[in-house]
């Protein structure tokens, strides 16, 4: 029987407000080997977690980041002797039959150790998987196998065999937000996994890039730079793409806000501190 630990990381969002938790919890009733692991990075714990006695709820008010939370989920999965780890963001909207898609695909492809769904933004733009360098003009075809080295995969929806997760060393906890997924998936590649299977199920990610407050944008940008600075050199293609991302993001914010402060922060907090 396929056993899955489904890990959801919360931050300043209660269980009752999380689309990922609500839709996942509604679907686990018939799956006795799927456990929900909730890691709450919010300053205050959600007291309503007691209304869900069949979930594991851990609270970390210090907010040690995504990497720490996912590694904690892997330790829990190992302790409970679960074979797979499925990661979800708090605001990912899951379709009906979400878990069935994973179970069916894992059963049909026992040689694969990495499965991901199609993830779209609310307006229908494809968000993940997407090409590293070459423009992706057409959506990928679900139900097919693709090479990891050509694509970027976000954390949410990623399902990895626990033995592969452990062999890779898990998430780098110094990369606590941005670049956590790209570094982790690259580590999976270096651990010997070359392919991922694209599931037919479609998820939607509530992602907003409409923030206009300059101070909030600058604060968020500093986090981005800090995480980028903490990334390890795994190989040249990974390093080169990260530099491309930092340059592109810096220029995009500079042009969008017409503020040179983003360029200044990029130079002083990233390029000069490497």
């Amino acid at each position: 029987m396929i056993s899955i630990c489904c890990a959801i990381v919360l931050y300043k969002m209660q269980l009752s407000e999380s689309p990922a938790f609500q839709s996942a919890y509604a679907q686990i009733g018939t799956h006795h080997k799927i456990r929900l692991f909730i890691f709450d990075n919010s300053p205050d714990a959600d007291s309503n977690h007691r209304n869900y006695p069949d979930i594991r709820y851990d609270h970390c008010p210090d907010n040690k980041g995504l990497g720490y939370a996912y590694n904690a989920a892997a330790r829990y999965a190992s302790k409970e002797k679960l074979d797979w780890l499925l990661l979800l963001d708090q605001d990912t909207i899951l379709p009906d039959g979400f878990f069935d898609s994973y179970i069916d695909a894992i059963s049909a492809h026992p040689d694969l150790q990495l499965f991901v769904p199609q993830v779209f933004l609310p307006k229908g733009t494809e968000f993940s998987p997407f090409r590293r360098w070459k423009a992706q003009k057409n959506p990928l075809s679900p139900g097919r196998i693709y090479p990891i080295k050509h694509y970027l995969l976000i954390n949410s929806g990623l399902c990895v065999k626990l033995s592969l997760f452990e062999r890779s060393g898990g998430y780098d906890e110094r990369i606590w937000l941005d670049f956590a997924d790209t570094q982790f998936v690259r580590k999976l590649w270096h651990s010997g996994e070359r392919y991922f299977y694209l599931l037919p199920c479609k998820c939607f990610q509530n992602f907003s890039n409409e923030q206009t407050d300059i101070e909030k944008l600058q604060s968020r940008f500093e986090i981005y730079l800090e995480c980028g600075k903490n990334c390890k050199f795994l190989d040249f293609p990974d390093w080169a793409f990260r530099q491309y991302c930092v340059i592109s993001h810096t220029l995009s914010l500079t042009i969008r806000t017409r503020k040179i402060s983003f360029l200044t922060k990029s130079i002083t907090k990233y390029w000069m501190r490497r």
Side-chain angles (χ1 to χ4, degrees), residues 14 32 42 67 97-98 111 132 140 147 154 159 161 192 214-215 254 257 272:
Q14 295 188 334
H32 301 294
S42 306
F98 178 73
D111 54 326
R132 275 180 172 267
L140 298 182
I154 65 170
C159 186
K161 197 163 189 178
I214 298 298
E215 289 187 5
T254 301
T257 63
M272 293 180 62

Side-chain angles (χ1 to χ4, degrees), residues 53-65:
D54 50 344
I55 71 170
R56 169 66 179 265
Y57 176 90
D58 283 6
H59 179 229
C60 181
D62 296 334
N63 186 12
K64 296 182 179 180

Side-chain angles (χ1 to χ4, degrees), residues 64-78:
K64 296 182 179 180
L66 287 177
Y68 185 90
Y70 291 146
N71 287 342
R75 291 192 293 270
Y76 168 78
S78 178

Side-chain angles (χ1 to χ4, degrees), residues 84 101-118 129 140-148 153 157-159 193-201:
W84 294 84
S101 294
Y102 286 86
I103 293 172
D104 292 344
I106 291 171
S107 299
H109 301 276
D111 54 326
L112 293 179
Q113 301 182 83
L114 186 62
F115 296 81
V116 301
Q118 297 172 289
L140 298 182
S141 299
R144 293 179 56 183
I145 298 170
Y146 293 91
I148 290 176
L153 311 173
L158 188 150
C159 186
E193 187 61 20
R194 294 291 185 261
Y195 301 95
F196 68 90
Y197 181 85
L198 183 60
L199 297 159
C201 65

Side-chain angles (χ1 to χ4, degrees), residues 171-197:
Y171 278 78
D172 186 336
E173 296 180 5
R174 297 193 314 150
I175 310 169
W176 51 281
L177 187 57
D178 300 292
F179 299 105
D181 43 14
T182 57
Q183 280 266 289
F184 174 65
V185 173
R186 200 64 181 172
K187 288 175 70 177
L188 296 182
W189 189 86
H190 278 279
S191 298
E193 187 61 20
R194 294 291 185 261
Y195 301 95
F196 68 90
Y197 181 85

